[in-house]
Amino acid sequence: MKFVDDFRHAPSARALLAALRRDVHPGATYRLMEFCGGHTHALWRYGLQELLPPEVRMIHGPGCPVCVLPSARVDLAIALAQHESVALCTFGDLLRVPGSHRTSLLHARAAGADVRSVYSPAEALELARREPTRQVVFFAIGFETTAPATALLLEQARELGLTNFSVHCNHLLTPSAMTSILESTQVRRLAAVPIDGFVGPAHVSVVIGSRPYEHFAEEYRKPVVIAGFEPLDLLQAILMLVRQVNAGQARVENQYRRAVTREGNARAQAVVSRVFELRRTFEWRGLGTIPYSALRIREAFSDLDAEQRFPLTLPAGRENPACQCGAVLRGALAPEECPLFGTLCTPESPIGSCMVSSEGACAAHYTFGRRSRRASPPPASTEVGR
Amino acid sequence: MTTAASGAHDEPCVELVHGSGGRATHRLVEELFLAAFGNPTLHARNDGAVLPPIPGRLVVSTDMHVVSPLFFPGGDIGSLAVNGTINDVAMTGARPLYLTAGFVLEAGLPLADLARIASSMATAAGAAGVTIVAGDTKVVEPGKADRLFISTTGVGVLADGVELGADRARPGDRLLLSGSLGEHATAILAGRMQLDLEARVVSDCAALHELVAALLAAAPHLRCLRDPTRGGLGATLNELAHQSRVGMVLDETAIPVTEEVRAICELLGFDPLYLANEGKLVAVCPPEEADAALASLRAHPLGRRAAAIGEVVPDPHGFVELRTAFGGRRVLDWLAGDQLPRIC
C-alpha cells in the first residue's frame, strides 16, 4: 500500500494545511473549482473540506460523467435495453440515474429488460462471446480517461469478428466543458460565479496531458493545477493555486507529475483517434449543447456502432423543472441551495443525476456533509433479519 | 445415488425428478443429506424434530443465503449458511444448539457440488457443536434459481441475566470491533471478477458464539452485539445509533483493515467500511468493562486483531461520524444501494 500511504501521511497534511493558513490573505476569497467528481469525493471523504482555511471556497464542477449525461441519453439507454434481443451492459452508477419519467435502467431491468452492470468494458465483450444469441450493447460513458479502453474494445471486437456486439458511444471531452463554464454568462458577464482557479482532472490528464489546459490559463487568465486524488495531492494543489492567485499568475502547473506529462499518453491518444472522431455537438446536463465536446465512432467501425445498428429516434428528454443539477454543475449553486436537496431528492430516491453518482456533488454533500443538518430517517428497506 | 447423466460433461446433476417426492427424492435425501448430517434426531425421519427440554430463554433466528460464486476462498454457501445463522443467534448472547436447513435446488446443479456443500455444512455445524435436526429440499426448473439457495433457522438458549439490545447503547459506551473489515466481500468480489491477485484474500466466514461467550464472561453488562454482514460496519453502526437514539464517533485510524483488502478497495474504488463480513462482531460496551472486553476478544483466535474503534456520544439525530487521520470529521452515512466501482 506504499503506493497510496505516502499520499495520506497525516503530518504532511498538517504541514500543508499550516502553509495554506500562512499563505491565504485574510479577508480575501479564493474560489477554486475542483473539476472532477473524484476530487469532490476526496475532499469530503478525508474531512478536508472543514480543515481548509475559511478563505478557500471549493466549487464543485461538472467532472462526473454520470452527472452530466442528460435525461435523453438515459431514455436512449432504456429504449436500447428494451429491445428484445439486446443485453445492455454499462457501469453500475448509470443504472440508478432517472430518465425523463423517473424511470431508470434498474426499473427497466426489474420489468424484464436484460440490463447488466459491468466493472470493465472487457466484460461486455466476454459476454458477447459467451452468449452469441444476444445482441450485446456496451453503453459507454466517461471522459477521456475511459475512451481508450472503449476504443481498444472496438478493435478487439473487430479482430474477433463478433457480429453480436456493438458500442453506444457517449464519451465526453473535458476541455470543452471547461470552456462552456468559463463562457457561461453567469461566470463571464454577470460575474455571479467568479472562479479564481481550477483543480484540473488527473486521470483525464494522464491520457491527454496537461497541455490542453494551457489555453485556459492564457485565454481566460485562470490558473490550473492538475492534481491527483489523494488528500496530499489535493492539499498541495490548493496551496499551489493560492500561491498563483496571490502572485497574480495564471499558469498550468502539474502537481500529479508521477503520472501526468505535458503531452500525455501517445498510445492512448492514437487508439482513440483511430476509432473515434469528434461529434459536432453533444448535449450535457446543465451545460446545454456544447460543440465538439464528445466522441463518436468512426465510419470504419460503423458495423460495431450501436447507433447504426439500432437507430433510435427519441423525443427530447425532459428534465425535472425543479431540479437544479445544471446550476450545481456550473458551480452557480451549492447543492444545499437546490429546493429538492435532501427532501424530495436523496440518494435513495434521486431526482437529479448529481444525487446518484458517488462522485456527484449532491451525493457527496448529502452523504458526508449532513452533520449540521437534520438527520434523515433510515432507508425504508432497513433489514430486520440479518 | 442417482447417476442419471445430464449437462454437457455427463456429470450427475440435480434433476426435476429429485423434487418429485418419489424414489429419486428419497435417495437424494438418504444418500446425500442424511449421509452428511446424520444424527439420531434426523434419522428418526419424522415430519418434525422432537427435541429434549431446553432450560433458559429460547432464541430463534432464520436467514436466507444466496451467494455467487458458490465456492470462494475461505468457504462456500454451505459454511456461510451454517455460520451466518449461528452468528445471528450468538449476537443475542445465546448459545446456538440446533439448525434446520431448507434447500432450493436448480435442476442442473452438479450433485458433486451439492455433496461438497452438504459436507461443508456438516463440518461447520460439527465444529460449532450445533446439530442439524430438520430440513427440506425443493427442485426448480433451470433458470428459476441461481443454482442453489439455502435457508437456515437456528435455535439457541439465552442464559439468565444476559440482556442485549440494539436500543441499549448509551453515551460514553465504547465501540469494539473483533477484527479487520471486508475480507468476506473482497474474497467474493475477487472470485466473481476472477481477479488474478498476487495477494489472496480469504473470507473470514466463522462461527462467533465462543467469542461471544468469552466476551460476555469478561463484560457481563455488555449493551449490544451485531455482526456487520451486508452493508458492513457503516450500516451496522447506523442501525444501532438510530435504534438507541445516540450518535457515534469513530477513529478512522483505529479501524483494522488488512493491506490486501485496502489494496483491492483502492483498485475498485470501494470503501471497506461498507463491505460485508461473515466472521466479525461489533460490541457496544459500558466504559468500565471495555478494557476487559477488549482483552477477552484479543485472547481468542477469532479476535486477535480486535480494536476499540470509537465511542457513543449524545445525539438524538443518530449521526455516525468518522474522525479522519488528518483530524477532519465526516459523516459515515447509510449506503444508498450497492457500492459501485468508480468509472474513471
Side-chain angles (χ1 to χ4, degrees):
Chain A
M1 287 296 288
K2 185 158 170 51
F3 69 98
V4 291
D5 286 348
D6 286 352
F7 306 101
R8 296 177 187 175
H9 186 237
S12 304
R14 281 193 286 273
L16 281 168
L17 284 162
L20 255 179
R21 279 193 292 274
R22 265 197 316 273
D23 279 32
V24 295
H25 294 165
T29 308
Y30 302 81
R31 286 147 301 208
L32 309 178
M33 174 175 272
E34 85 273 5
F35 188 88
C36 265
H39 286 139
T40 309
H41 190 75
L43 274 171
W44 287 102
R45 180 174 172 182
Y46 296 102
L48 301 181
Q49 188 82 23
E50 68 170 39
L51 296 174
L52 292 174
E55 290 83 356
V56 176
R57 185 187 154 206
M58 302 306 293
I59 301 164
H60 314 300
C64 162
V66 170
C67 297
V68 294
L69 216 58
S71 297
R73 289 271 148 187
V74 180
D75 295 342
L76 191 73
I78 294 169
L80 266 172
Q82 285 168 339
H83 232 273
E84 200 182 335
S85 60
V86 165
L88 185 95
C89 300
T90 193
F91 297 122
D93 265 2
L94 191 65
L95 265 52
R96 300 178 56 235
V97 179
S100 296
H101 310 287
R102 294 210 72 182
T103 181
S104 66
L105 281 166
L106 271 187
H107 290 130
R109 179 158 77 182
D114 189 352
V115 176
R116 322 251 181 132
S117 164
V118 293
Y119 291 87
S120 79
E123 280 181 62
L125 196 71
E126 181 53 33
L127 180 70
R129 296 177 67 173
R130 218 173 46 235
E131 298 190 24
T133 59
R134 305 294 291 156
Q135 276 293 329
V136 175
V137 180
F138 177 58
F139 196 81
I141 62 166
F143 292 112
E144 292 92 333
T145 328
T146 47
T150 309
L152 278 173
L153 188 73
L154 282 160
E155 289 194 334
Q156 283 170 355
R158 162 61 50 79
E159 270 176 40
L160 292 167
L162 288 175
T163 55
N164 67 324
F165 179 78
S166 56
V167 168
H168 198 287
C169 180
N170 298 275
H171 283 295
L172 304 163
L173 304 174
T174 42
S176 320
M178 213 179 255
T179 306
S180 162
I181 290 166
L182 288 165
E183 290 287 349
S184 83
T185 50
Q186 277 167 307
V187 174
R188 204 163 165 76
R189 280 214 302 273
L190 305 176
V193 194
I195 294 170
D196 298 310
F198 286 97
V199 179
H203 291 167
V204 165
S205 299
V206 170
V207 176
I208 66 171
S210 61
R211 198 161 64 142
Y213 299 96
E214 290 171 3
H215 165 73
F216 301 103
E218 288 159 12
E219 180 76 9
Y220 299 95
R221 303 296 304 154
K222 301 291 179 193
V224 180
V225 175
I226 310 292
F229 294 101
E230 294 302 326
L232 291 192
D233 292 328
L234 255 173
L235 289 175
Q236 192 181 28
I238 291 168
L239 181 62
M240 289 161 82
L241 283 169
V242 164
R243 285 177 175 167
Q244 278 205 53
V245 172
N246 286 347
Q249 293 174 332
R251 294 181 288 119
V252 172
E253 288 185 280
N254 181 9
Q255 182 278 333
Y256 199 48
R257 274 178 293 186
R258 62 186 186 273
V260 168
T261 62
R262 183 167 180 264
E263 303 301 331
N265 182 330
R267 281 184 64 194
Q269 291 167 20
V271 68
V272 167
S273 79
R274 280 200 301 273
V275 175
F276 298 124
E277 60 189 6
L278 288 175
R279 283 183 196 269
R280 287 190 61 195
T281 59
F282 195 86
E283 190 196 345
W284 293 54
R285 187 180 293 236
L287 304 180
T289 301
I290 307 179
Y292 301 110
S293 65
L295 298 172
R296 74 168 176 214
I297 296 170
R298 282 187 187 277
E299 191 59 34
F301 288 85
S302 61
D303 55 320
L304 297 168
D305 187 350
E307 284 179 65
Q308 310 281 336
R309 195 174 294 186
F310 305 95
L312 290 167
T313 45
L314 287 169
R318 199 183 58 188
E319 309 292 349
N320 186 314
C323 172
Q324 297 295 317
C325 275
V328 170
L329 289 167
R330 287 195 304 276
L333 209 65
E336 289 86 349
E337 292 172 311
C338 171
L340 305 179
F341 179 85
T343 51
L344 289 175
C345 184
T346 64
E348 282 80 34
S349 178
I351 289 175
S353 51
C354 300
M355 192 58 97
V356 176
S357 165
S358 59
E359 296 192 347
C362 293
H365 276 239
Y366 184 91
T367 304
F368 298 132
R370 280 165 49 237
R371 183 143 50 93
S372 56
R373 299 191 302 276
R374 190 175 59 81
S376 69
S381 59
T382 301
E383 218 179 321
V384 179
R386 295 171 57 78
Chain B
M1 179 67 55
T2 178
T3 52
S6 65
H9 306 291
D10 284 351
E11 59 182 334
C13 290
V14 172
E15 297 177 54
L16 288 172
V17 68
H18 285 121
S20 65
R23 184 169 288 125
T25 309
H26 175 79
R27 289 181 64 182
L28 181 75
V29 170
E30 189 93 355
E31 295 175 23
L32 198 146
F33 290 113
L34 284 185
F37 305 150
N39 58 65
T41 312
L42 213 51
H43 276 298
R45 314 288 297 277
N46 292 317
D47 279 355
V50 181
L51 304 173
I54 303 170
R57 290 168 292 167
L58 287 186
V59 172
V60 178
S61 181
T62 194
D63 211 351
M64 300 288 299
H65 303 275
V66 177
V67 63
S68 178
L70 294 177
F71 300 94
F72 47 84
D76 55 61
I77 189 172
S79 56
L80 195 67
V82 169
N83 290 332
T85 296
I86 285 176
N87 289 346
D88 284 346
V89 171
M91 291 308 120
T92 66
R95 182 163 59 94
L97 297 171
Y98 302 108
L99 280 180
T100 71
F103 297 83
V104 176
L105 311 172
E106 183 187 19
L109 174 75
L111 282 168
D113 285 355
L114 185 59
R116 193 172 148 201
I117 288 161
S119 161
S120 165
M121 290 178 77
T123 304
V130 168
T131 313
I132 297 173
V133 291
D136 188 31
T137 61
K138 292 284 184 288
V139 179
V140 297
E141 292 169 23
K144 295 282 170 67
D146 187 9
R147 290 160 296 157
L148 171 64
F149 302 150
I150 303 178
S151 165
T152 43
T153 296
V155 177
V157 63
L158 189 61
D160 286 341
V162 179
E163 297 294 346
L164 303 178
D167 58 349
R168 298 173 79 92
R170 297 290 175 266
D173 286 352
R174 302 287 192 268
L175 299 167
L176 309 178
L177 175 64
S178 70
S180 51
L181 293 177
E183 283 145 34
H184 176 70
T186 40
I188 294 284
L189 265 175
R192 199 178 293 164
M193 296 174 68
Q194 297 175 324
L195 289 181
D196 188 15
L197 298 170
E198 221 172 274
R200 196 158 175 268
V201 189
V202 174
S203 167
D204 59 345
C205 182
L208 295 171
H209 59 298
E210 286 178 0
L211 186 67
V212 170
L215 184 58
L216 280 169
H221 299 98
L222 208 64
R223 313 272 197 217
C224 177
L225 285 173
R226 275 284 166 95
D227 54 340
T229 52
R230 205 162 29 154
L233 183 71
T236 297
L237 292 184
N238 272 286
E239 283 169 17
L240 296 180
H242 180 73
Q243 284 179 257
S244 291
R245 299 213 150 272
V246 293
M248 292 177 181
V249 178
L250 309 181
D251 179 359
E252 189 172 28
T253 57
I255 300 172
V257 180
T258 63
E259 288 284 294
E260 291 81 3
V261 170
R262 283 178 63 205
I264 291 175
C265 285
E266 286 300 324
L267 196 68
L268 298 174
F270 286 159
D271 187 342
L273 302 182
Y274 292 107
L275 292 181
N277 311 277
E278 290 294 343
K280 300 291 158 24
L281 61 80
V282 179
V284 184
C285 187
E288 59 277 11
E289 292 182 359
D291 288 345
L294 188 59
S296 74
L297 287 173
R298 286 180 174 165
H300 192 280
L302 292 175
R304 268 197 295 265
R305 289 198 67 186
I309 59 166
E311 65 180 315
V312 178
V313 296
D315 180 359
H317 297 314
F319 278 120
V320 178
E321 286 186 85
L322 207 60
R323 240 188 328 252
T324 70
F326 310 121
R329 298 224 306 198
R330 59 128 160 143
V331 171
L332 183 68
D333 201 4
W334 302 90
L335 197 63
D338 292 332
Q339 284 204 93
L340 298 164
R342 68 163 71 89
I343 292 175
C344 62

